[in-house]
Amino acid sequence: MAESNFVDYVKIYCRSGKGGRGSAHMRREKYVPNGGPDGGDGGRGGHVILRGNRNYWTLLHLKYDRHVFATHGGNGSKNKSFGKDGEDKVIEVPCGTVVYNAETGEYICDITEHGQEIILLKGGRGGLGNWHFRTATRQAPRFAQPGEPMQELMVILELKLLADVGLVGFPNAGKSTLLSTVSAARPKIANYPFTTLEPNLGIVSYREGKSFVMADIPGIIEGASEGKGLGLRFLRHIERNSLLLFMVPGDTDDIRKEYEILLNELATFNPEMLDKQRVLAITKSDMLDEELIAMLEPTLPDNVPHIFISSVTGLGIQQLKDILWTELNKDSNKLEGVRTETIVHRAKDVAKLQEELKDMGEDEDFEYEYEEDADDDFDYEYEDENWDEEEEKK
Ligand SMILES: Nc1nc2c(ncn2[C@@H]2O[C@H](COP(=O)(O)OP(=O)(O)OP(=O)(O)O)[C@@H](O)[C@H]2O)c(=O)[nH]1
Ligand SMILES: [Mg+2]
């Protein structure tokens, strides 16, 4: 793939802000000899926040901005003035983004909804100013609390499109054509294999304003799980679909066998793919006559609902939508479960994730900027340089 705008994988260095330190200031006024402590609190450091945004479909906007720094909290100062809170940094991501710790491969979280916010790194709490530490026996504490340190983390953001129906088929099976027939999406269509190189999404409108999302992905071939063709890299986009629509052209010699090859490739990628609901569409059925369809019927797999369709004549398209809708709404609670398990399963598979990372090999030119002054300990107490002991004694 040459230049591609479809970015579904980025690595980002994030750092929250440290808390501002509390002030240990002593009040000094002309006619108030023992003014006492009046040091204000430090401000909170900025958080790094992830937010789901449905206007993004890829992670492209993050590709060239791979350092995210929230700002530090301001220090407290005299007269009980509080330090300013640091500014939060929000990383906008498309819905369907999964976040991993880049160092350990550990799963962190999942952004699935528009507006959903997760604090990825908390900004440090600001330290308390010295006036908090007054006691009966210690009227003039000469110390204040420093702010909490910042946190840093290298994360991997991986995009998994959240479509309801994923199209699965050999190249040239008519997947993109179907998507363009049932939705407003206009993917490239051509009579050669691997026309589609990047996933396309379309919204299929169903009856009474209802709709569902369909994902067209590049074709899969036998041996894809060993890297043949475009491999299985794109399968991660249909990993979380609730339903897989298998597509096999009507003029295929052995429809059942082709369906089984596809199933087998999916299972090799991730056995949980087989837990999903399935529907089989026999495409390009305008090339078959009724007699032929009747002959084919008994040869088809009997454990999956099937339908003969043609995107050219419209044959079976409405019934296909009906079947998809009915299947999608069957036992939807259970499906949520399957989706979640799939994510967890993948997260545990650290070795695989790291291998994928190696494959990407995109990070060589990228230098991470760690901040040097990795911070003071939170419980550390210090004396304020500004505090004048001589003056205090007077
Ligand atoms: N006769 C007939 N031809 C069709 C039908 N649907 C698709 N085709 C043709 O089949 C060829 C492949 O269609 P695509 O939709 O590009 O196939 P694809 O599955 O997306 O292929 P890849 O992107 O390469 O995986 C094109 O020449 C289409 O015009 C159909 O219902 N009937
Ligand atoms: Mg296509």
Side-chain angles (χ1 to χ4, degrees):
M1 230 183 304
E3 262 310 293
S4 161
N5 282 337
F6 192 85
V7 175
D8 56 359
Y9 200 95
V10 290
K11 206 168 161 185
I12 296 185
Y13 170 75
C14 302
R15 200 212 61 198
S16 63
K18 57 185 170 195
R21 74 185 143 88
S23 161
H25 189 267
M26 289 295 167
R27 188 167 150 221
R28 257 159 289 168
E29 276 173 50
K30 232 177 184 172
Y31 304 107
V32 191
N34 291 316
D38 73 343
D41 303 348
R44 169 176 77 70
H47 300 318
V48 175
I49 297 173
L50 292 163
R51 185 193 290 150
N53 183 333
R54 66 170 155 243
N55 300 315
Y56 287 110
W57 291 98
T58 74
L59 298 166
L60 181 69
H61 60 292
L62 298 172
K63 188 156 187 180
Y64 303 103
D65 182 19
R66 288 193 269 171
H67 294 100
V68 174
F69 300 112
T71 57
H72 302 309
N75 296 331
S77 57
K78 63 182 176 190
N79 219 353
K80 294 187 190 167
S81 16
F82 293 98
K84 229 172 100 185
D85 284 347
E87 228 172 272
D88 296 340
K89 258 280 154 64
V90 178
I91 307 175
E92 306 267 2
V93 295
C95 304
T97 300
V98 189
V99 187
Y100 300 94
N101 178 324
E103 254 99 70
T104 62
E106 231 176 303
Y107 164 80
I108 299 173
C109 66
D110 227 302
I111 306 285
T112 50
E113 277 165 44
H114 181 70
Q116 181 188 354
E117 284 191 1
I118 286 180
I119 298 182
L120 182 64
L121 294 181
K122 269 198 152 145
R125 255 186 311 171
L128 298 175
N130 60 351
W131 64 282
H132 287 281
F133 301 105
R134 269 173 320 169
T135 58
T137 53
R138 193 172 56 197
Q139 298 276 327
R142 302 165 190 186
F143 54 82
Q145 213 175 21
E148 269 182 336
M150 59 198 179
Q151 298 178 33
E152 52 180 14
L153 183 68
M154 185 78 78
V155 291
I156 290 167
L157 303 182
E158 189 188 66
L159 178 62
K160 298 189 186 201
L161 305 177
L162 281 183
D164 301 304
V165 175
L167 303 184
V168 178
F170 278 19
N172 231 15
K175 300 181 291 298
S176 303
T177 310
L178 175 69
L179 184 73
S180 71
T181 311
V182 297
S183 80
R186 289 291 165 265
K188 189 172 165 194
I189 293 166
N191 192 16
Y192 56 81
F194 298 117
T195 307
T196 301
L197 297 173
E198 297 172 354
N200 301 298
L201 279 188
I203 297 168
V204 182
S205 33
Y206 189 59
R207 301 170 203 270
E208 295 143 24
K210 295 178 193 131
S211 62
F212 55 91
V213 179
M214 189 179 263
D216 166 34
I217 62 163
I220 296 164
I221 58 172
E222 185 165 17
S225 49
E226 294 139 35
K228 287 207 181 124
L230 291 179
L232 295 176
R233 187 170 114 77
F234 287 105
L235 282 185
R236 76 161 91 110
H237 296 298
I238 53 169
E239 232 184 331
R240 294 168 72 191
N241 300 166
S242 359
L243 187 149
L244 300 178
L245 176 61
F246 287 78
M247 301 186 64
V248 181
D251 58 349
T252 306
D253 289 340
D254 190 338
I255 294 173
R256 186 194 196 111
K257 189 168 163 218
E258 192 163 308
Y259 168 73
E260 275 158 11
I261 293 170
L262 287 167
L263 260 188
N264 189 37
E265 293 299 333
L266 296 193
T268 315
F269 174 71
N270 176 356
E272 285 174 33
M273 294 284 249
L274 300 192
D275 298 340
K276 294 177 192 299
Q277 285 167 295
R278 290 171 234 154
V279 173
L280 172 62
I282 295 93
T283 63
K284 311 190 188 182
S285 297
D286 48 286
M287 301 192 296
L288 310 173
D289 54 27
E290 269 174 35
E291 212 178 322
L292 200 47
I293 291 180
M295 269 172 63
L296 285 172
E297 278 284 357
T299 70
L300 298 174
D302 46 18
N303 53 357
V304 55
H306 68 258
I307 176 140
F308 286 83
I309 62 163
S310 164
S311 299
V312 172
T313 64
L315 172 81
I317 297 294
Q318 187 55 47
Q319 291 97 303
L320 172 67
K321 289 205 226 171
D322 287 339
I323 294 177
L324 294 176
W325 185 259
T326 313
E327 293 291 319
L328 279 174
N329 289 292
K330 256 188 203 168
D331 209 359
S332 53
N333 290 334
K334 184 176 146 254
L335 276 168
E336 277 308 315
V338 172
R339 283 188 190 189
T340 321
E341 275 162 33
T342 308
I343 301 161
V344 174
H345 164 88
R346 291 270 292 148
K348 278 187 197 147
D349 207 344
V350 177
K352 200 158 137 196
L353 185 72
Q354 279 167 344
E355 208 166 276
E356 271 180 35
L357 257 176
K358 248 191 283 159
D359 284 349
M360 306 300 290
E362 56 165 44
D363 283 314
E364 282 146 40
D365 52 4
F366 175 48
E367 288 194 359
Y368 303 113
E369 293 165 12
Y370 287 97
E371 188 147 299
E372 302 262 293
D373 64 331
D375 231 312
D376 17 24
D377 286 333
F378 186 54
D379 288 330
Y380 172 78
E381 293 179 354
Y382 64 94
E383 295 205 358
D384 190 345
E385 316 102 24
N386 299 327
W387 184 66
D388 188 341
E389 202 165 30
E390 292 310 305
E391 202 173 309
E392 174 73 19
K393 276 182 194 153
K394 275 181 208 164

